[in-house]
């Protein structure tokens, strides 16, 4: 026991596999390239203007695929609505 509370998924069901999320995202967003991990980090290159607050930045990074997918789906939601 670690002293931490158990994590629960809100809304029911198990979290979706990040590999499945990646495949779906890549099909829906062909302008984004998700690179295999290098130096311990996942990276994605997105078209300019997608990253809020920075119109020139084109790269996102995360330590794991799930965290990278969270960032990508925040700027390009799977339902097609803007994250604005």
């Amino acid at each position: 026991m670690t002293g931490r509370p158990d994590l629960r998924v809100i809304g029911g069901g198990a979290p979706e596999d990040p590999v499945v999320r990646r495949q779906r995202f890549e099909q829906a967003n062909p302008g984004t390239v998700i690179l295999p991990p290098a130096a311990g980090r996942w990276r994605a290159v997105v078209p300019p203007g997608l990253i809020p607050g920075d119109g020139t930045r084109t790269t996102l990074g995360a330590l794991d695929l799930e965290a990278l997918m969270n960032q990508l789906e925040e700027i390009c939601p799977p339902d097609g609505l803007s994250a604005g």
Side-chain angles (χ1 to χ4, degrees):
M1 188 146 216
T2 64
R4 294 183 187 175
D6 292 333
L7 296 176
R8 294 179 288 128
V9 176
I10 297 175
E16 189 172 18
D17 185 319
V19 174
V20 173
R21 290 171 62 195
R22 174 187 177 176
Q23 292 169 341
R24 185 176 55 243
F25 186 89
E26 288 176 318
Q27 288 177 353
N29 300 279
T32 297
V33 178
I34 299 174
L35 303 169
R41 291 185 60 86
W42 282 86
R43 297 211 183 274
V45 180
V46 300
L50 283 183
I51 300 173
D54 190 334
T56 60
R57 191 169 140 220
T58 60
T59 305
L60 295 171
L63 293 176
D64 60 48
L65 182 56
E66 182 176 8
L68 182 63
M69 293 312 305
N70 291 343
Q71 290 179 54
L72 287 168
E73 289 176 353
E74 188 174 311
I75 63 171
C76 296
D79 61 8
L81 301 174
S82 68

